[in-house]
Amino acid sequence: SFIFSAFFLLAACGGDRPKTDNTAAQPAPVSTGKRPIVWLEGIYATSSSPAHEVYDLFDDDPDTGWQTREGSGPDEGIMLYFPNAILIQSVQVVPENGSFQDEHSFFQTYVNGSLATGGKPGEKVALDNKPVKSLYIRFERTGLEQTAKREKDGVAIAIESFPADAHIGIKTLNLFDDKGEILRLMPPLRKHGDLSASSTLVPENAYSAANLFDCRKEFVWVEGNKTGSGEGETLNFEFAEPVNITAVQIWNGYQRSDEHVSANARVRDFEFGLKDSTTGKYTLRDTRAGQKIELSTPLSGQNFGLAIKSIYPGSKYKDLAISEMLFFDGDKPFTLVSKLPERNQTALRNKTGSSPLTHIFNRRISNTVEEAGVLTQQSIILRSDGTFV
């Protein structure tokens, strides 16, 4: 029964999230020379070493970079979201020495969710000045993979593994605009704090409020009040240091697909303000697009609350969902980094106990089967944060 429940969680909830131990709030960057800042709407990596997060690719320090967890290689990737579509001529992934070790090393790009071009680490891979709203870079082969072959009953099976002490390391990620100049990308600033919800749908790991700040619009917070459809539910945001909030951006509903959005309840009217103080009243349109709501009065403080006053009902389910949130201080976006993802991961690890699953978490399992001249390739990664690919 445990494996069934584990896979239920894996199928439902969000992806690898940055650790919170080394994420002190950054000072606002200053634009220099001919490289104006391009603020990103969000970024995430499917796997990150606690000491080398994906954010380290954008800190203007050539000595830092991103690394996957040890034992994680093929099928890992990096996602970038832009607030507005931007023309990109090409992309260049500059790897650490030793991360890619043969001529067959390869990464694939996906532009706005669709398969685009691929190439080798170190090369400039053309994107043909496509307008890019989202860019995903997926690493397919590193040259470090090890293959064991066997044959049974006329079927050839190749089992591929990745060394337990190896990782993918990227020193620099360069995106070139339509003029061939390197874009200076800046992810949302990160502010420490905590968050809570008045209720959460069971299983809580799958529908946690932590999903509001994981930069993955397809994973959601869902309220869990069995007697209602979202009216009266609240979200509380507590920052470790005072912050200024001038606007809130919300991706309403369950944004996995258009069908998911319409099937579940969405927020219509809500109040937002300092906790236990006067709040402003706002309305969201019933659309899948992210909606940036300028506050009637900018707010400064540490504790804030959002209260749902009315909803757009779901066509199939009464549960209300919100996929993602982002705060703004003027033109600078920032996100709330809480310990909630870490607590959720601890709860999942405690559930696995001595289960065999603990030995394959975060490791890619892959094989290729050849039967009657037909090749079938398949792989899976079960992640310790409760996700899978």
Side-chain angles (χ1 to χ4, degrees):
S1 62
F2 166 74
I3 292 179
F4 175 84
S5 61
F7 272 85
F8 181 81
L9 289 174
L10 292 166
C13 64
D16 281 79
R17 294 138 174 111
K19 297 289 185 181
T20 59
D21 294 338
N22 299 305
T23 54
Q26 311 97 316
V30 178
S31 176
T32 58
K34 298 180 179 180
R35 297 182 61 209
I37 293 169
V38 176
W39 286 99
L40 293 169
E41 199 170 69
I43 64 171
Y44 70 81
T46 58
S47 172
S48 287
S49 159
H52 301 278
E53 301 179 302
V54 67
Y55 283 82
D56 294 333
L57 286 172
F58 307 98
D59 61 2
D60 287 336
D61 184 348
D63 294 326
T64 63
W66 166 71
Q67 291 180 357
T68 61
R69 296 171 182 263
E70 283 197 340
S72 297
D75 290 345
E76 306 294 354
I78 299 170
M79 174 68 90
L80 309 180
Y81 286 111
F82 297 86
N84 300 296
I86 186 169
L87 296 178
I88 297 181
Q89 180 189 98
S90 58
V91 59
Q92 181 186 37
V93 174
V94 181
E96 279 184 3
N97 290 336
S99 277
F100 300 89
Q101 292 194 355
D102 71 12
E103 61 182 10
H104 301 296
S105 299
F106 186 79
F107 70 87
Q108 181 69 58
T109 65
Y110 297 79
V111 173
N112 306 328
S114 298
L115 184 67
T117 54
K120 297 179 181 300
E123 297 179 348
K124 289 175 68 173
V125 176
L127 294 185
D128 301 325
N129 289 325
K130 291 182 178 179
V132 178
K133 188 73 166 60
S134 71
L135 174 65
Y136 183 63
I137 300 170
R138 176 175 174 265
F139 299 97
E140 294 196 359
R141 185 162 185 85
T142 70
L144 299 173
E145 296 81 8
Q146 301 165 346
T147 303
K149 298 181 179 180
R150 65 185 178 89
E151 186 172 329
K152 184 178 181 181
D153 300 329
V155 178
I157 301 174
I159 301 172
E160 185 178 272
S161 63
F162 189 76
D165 59 351
H167 62 265
I168 287 176
I170 304 301
K171 298 298 292 182
T172 307
L173 177 61
N174 293 322
L175 269 61
F176 297 84
D177 65 14
D178 55 334
K179 298 178 182 178
E181 297 179 347
I182 297 176
L183 294 167
R184 186 182 178 198
L185 304 177
M186 187 61 57
L189 303 175
R190 294 182 292 173
K191 309 288 187 178
H192 281 293
D194 211 345
L195 72 156
S196 61
S198 54
S199 70
T200 301
L201 185 65
V202 176
E204 291 193 13
N205 265 12
Y207 303 111
S208 168
N211 293 337
L212 293 170
F213 297 100
D214 65 354
C215 293
R216 296 173 181 247
K217 300 177 180 66
E218 63 271 25
F219 299 113
V220 296
W221 165 69
V222 182
E223 55 81 24
N225 190 333
K226 296 181 180 180
T227 63
S229 298
E231 298 98 333
E233 297 297 313
T234 59
L235 292 165
N236 296 302
F237 314 98
E238 181 177 351
F239 292 89
E241 301 289 341
V243 299
N244 298 314
I245 300 179
T246 61
V248 178
Q249 189 160 352
I250 296 175
W251 285 264
N252 205 7
Y254 195 168
Q255 301 226 348
R256 184 174 292 275
S257 68
D258 289 338
E259 290 75 17
H260 283 80
V261 171
S262 61
N264 292 269
R266 289 87 61 200
V267 179
R268 180 173 179 174
D269 298 306
F270 69 96
E271 294 180 349
F272 183 84
L274 289 165
K275 191 175 180 181
D276 303 323
S277 183
T278 303
T279 59
K281 297 182 179 180
Y282 307 95
T283 299
L284 292 174
R285 303 183 307 278
D286 194 14
T287 175
R288 190 176 176 184
Q291 299 176 62
K292 185 177 179 182
I293 303 297
E294 301 287 344
L295 302 186
S296 53
T297 302
L299 301 173
S300 297
Q302 290 179 247
N303 298 309
F304 302 85
L306 184 153
I308 299 167
K309 309 307 291 184
S310 67
I311 67 161
Y312 297 103
S315 62
K316 189 173 181 180
Y317 305 109
K318 69 180 186 65
D319 307 308
L320 180 136
I322 301 176
S323 290
E324 198 70 25
M325 292 185 63
L326 191 62
F327 298 113
F328 284 84
D329 180 4
D331 63 345
K332 301 177 183 65
F334 67 93
T335 186
L336 175 58
V337 178
S338 78
K339 292 189 179 297
L340 188 53
E342 185 178 324
R343 292 198 292 268
N344 289 342
Q345 289 191 43
T346 299
L348 182 58
R349 286 194 296 267
N350 290 340
K351 263 191 171 184
T352 63
S354 58
S355 161
L357 286 177
T358 59
H359 302 294
I360 60 173
F361 276 159
N362 305 312
R363 302 292 304 279
R364 179 176 180 262
I365 301 170
S366 172
N367 64 25
T368 301
V369 178
E370 182 177 359
E371 185 174 12
V374 177
L375 285 177
T376 302
Q377 296 179 314
Q378 50 198 0
S379 66
I380 187 168
I381 303 172
L382 305 179
R383 304 193 190 281
S384 57
D385 67 357
T387 69
F388 77 98
V389 59

